[in-house]
């Protein structure tokens, strides 16, 4: 398998995709650091970690139920899968 088939983002949007992923990661880290101490003083340590654990569970269910498996597929196959899925949603009444 050549390098282009293993990359997550196609070369035409790689910079934008990596930038968006990095910004999302920084935003999530900022949110945790901003609210951790406030939550801890409001609902306690176990409650705070419970909130974060609940968010992890919701995220896991979202990924498990709504995002398709891409293991072993080429970048072209993944792109076509999203095109087909978009067309299907656009044509539903």
């Amino acid at each position: 398998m050549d390098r282009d088939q293993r990359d997550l983002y196609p070369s035409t949007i790689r910079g934008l995709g990596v930038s968006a992923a990095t910004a999302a990661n920084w935003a999530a880290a900022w949110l945790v650091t901003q609210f951790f101490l406030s939550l801890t003083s409001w609902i306690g340590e176990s409650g705070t970690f419970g909130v974060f654990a609940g968010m992890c569970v919701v995220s896991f269910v979202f990924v498990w139920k709504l995002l398709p498996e891409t293991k072993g597929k080429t970048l072209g196959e993944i792109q076509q899968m999203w095109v087909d899925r978009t067309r299907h949603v656009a044509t539903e009444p």
Side-chain angles (χ1 to χ4, degrees):
M1 184 179 300
D2 63 30
R3 178 147 176 79
D4 287 337
Q5 292 178 331
R6 293 180 302 184
D7 290 337
L8 182 60
Y9 301 110
S11 59
T12 56
I13 63 162
R14 185 168 297 134
L16 181 62
V18 170
S19 298
T22 302
N25 190 22
W26 276 93
W30 180 83
L31 284 171
V32 169
T33 57
Q34 285 298 314
F35 296 106
F36 183 80
L37 291 178
S38 299
L39 278 173
T40 303
S41 65
W42 184 46
I43 59 176
E45 288 180 10
S46 60
T48 301
F49 283 105
V51 167
F52 290 134
M55 292 168 65
C56 288
V57 168
V58 169
S59 298
F60 176 79
V61 170
F62 171 80
V63 169
W64 184 41
K65 293 287 188 182
L66 298 178
L67 298 181
E69 176 62 63
T70 58
K71 183 178 179 181
K73 294 185 180 184
T74 65
L75 183 58
E77 291 171 335
I78 295 168
Q79 289 173 332
Q80 188 60 46
M81 177 178 53
W82 285 109
V83 167
D84 294 343
R85 188 177 248 202
T86 303
R87 284 186 190 143
H88 176 72
V89 170
T91 58
E92 287 183 353

